[in-house]
Structure formats: C-alpha cells, structure tokens
Amino acid sequence: RGKMAKIPEEYTQRLRSRGLFVADPMPSEHVFPDGVLVGKPTTLVGNFIPGYKTGYGMDDALEFDAPPVWLLCHGGVWVVLAEEYCPGPGPGDFLDEWHSPEEAVQDILDFYFGDPQRMQAKAEARKKPVRLPE
C-alpha cells in the first residue's frame, strides 16, 4: 500500500483563489491522512444541485450547495473522490486518478465550474430511490 502525501500549498491556494473552501489537511489517524476536503459555498456561482444543502464546521456554519470532494495523493497518484454513499460508490459518485496535482486541481475546478455533466449525475441520483442489498 502506498504512502499518503501532503498536498502542496500552491494547489490548495489555487482552489481557494477560485472561492472554494479547502479544509485543513486531515490528521494521520484519519481514513484519508493529509487529504483535504473541498467544497463550494452556496454564495459562489458555479455548478450546484437545486435544493442540495450540507454544512461544514461548527454548527454546520459553512453551507455548500454541491457535494464536497476529497483531494489526496496516495502512492504518487493524485485522487479526486466524490463519494456520498456508504458503502460506495453509489449513483453519481466518482473517483478520478491523475498523474499530477495540476490535473487533479483542474478536475475539481471542472466539477464545480466547468462541464455540469457530473453534477447533473449527482442531481439525478438524488431523485432516484436507493435500493439496499438484501
């Protein structure tokens, strides 16, 4: 199993400069050590899901209108993970792997500000009942 790596500040800063929320890196005992959660605040123009609302922080003070994603580096592979189902993956969830942090950051920017297809898949999944295995 590969080692997790810290996300260089220049890449988290690139996400923040677009108005996205980037959490502090997760502690070593977290399932995604050194990974960061990225979210789009409801006040930011971009792709969103009508009626979607989730919070972050004390008393969920920061609100997102789109699913947050994880950015992490594992064994030299840059990962963007959007997983809302447990166990996952579920409808609309995705895990993208990249060779560079630039590609991973661009993937996140595309999810929130570019082609709305993946956001639409997440929205459609919310309209369908989820069937649990028997």
Side-chain angles (χ1 to χ4, degrees):
R1 181 179 159 149
K3 182 171 173 25
M4 300 296 267
K6 289 193 184 301
I7 310 298
E9 180 66 26
E10 66 186 282
Y11 300 106
T12 56
Q13 188 54 41
R14 228 176 110 200
L15 295 167
R16 286 185 182 106
S17 74
R18 290 293 303 270
L20 295 172
F21 167 79
V22 180
D24 290 335
M26 293 295 122
S28 60
E29 63 274 4
H30 191 271
V31 68
F32 300 133
D34 295 321
V36 295
L37 187 71
V38 179
K40 187 182 91 51
T42 56
T43 56
L44 189 61
V45 174
N47 297 333
F48 69 99
I49 297 174
Y52 182 96
K53 184 176 125 181
T54 190
Y56 184 87
M58 294 295 284
D59 299 321
D60 291 335
L62 181 60
E63 291 184 356
F64 303 140
D65 61 2
V69 299
W70 286 98
L71 171 62
L72 48 120
C73 183
H74 183 258
V77 175
W78 292 87
V79 176
V80 176
L81 173 66
E83 186 173 67
E84 294 183 274
Y85 290 87
C86 186
D93 288 346
F94 62 87
L95 184 150
D96 294 337
E97 296 181 342
W98 303 100
H99 296 292
S100 72
E102 292 88 1
E103 292 171 305
V105 166
Q106 189 54 49
D107 187 34
I108 293 170
L109 293 175
D110 182 66
F111 179 62
Y112 290 122
F113 305 111
D115 183 348
Q117 182 177 349
R118 290 184 293 171
M119 192 69 69
Q120 185 62 38
K122 288 262 186 208
E124 288 298 318
R126 300 183 101 55
K127 295 178 185 176
K128 298 176 183 158
V130 175
R131 293 193 63 144
L132 299 175
E134 296 179 16

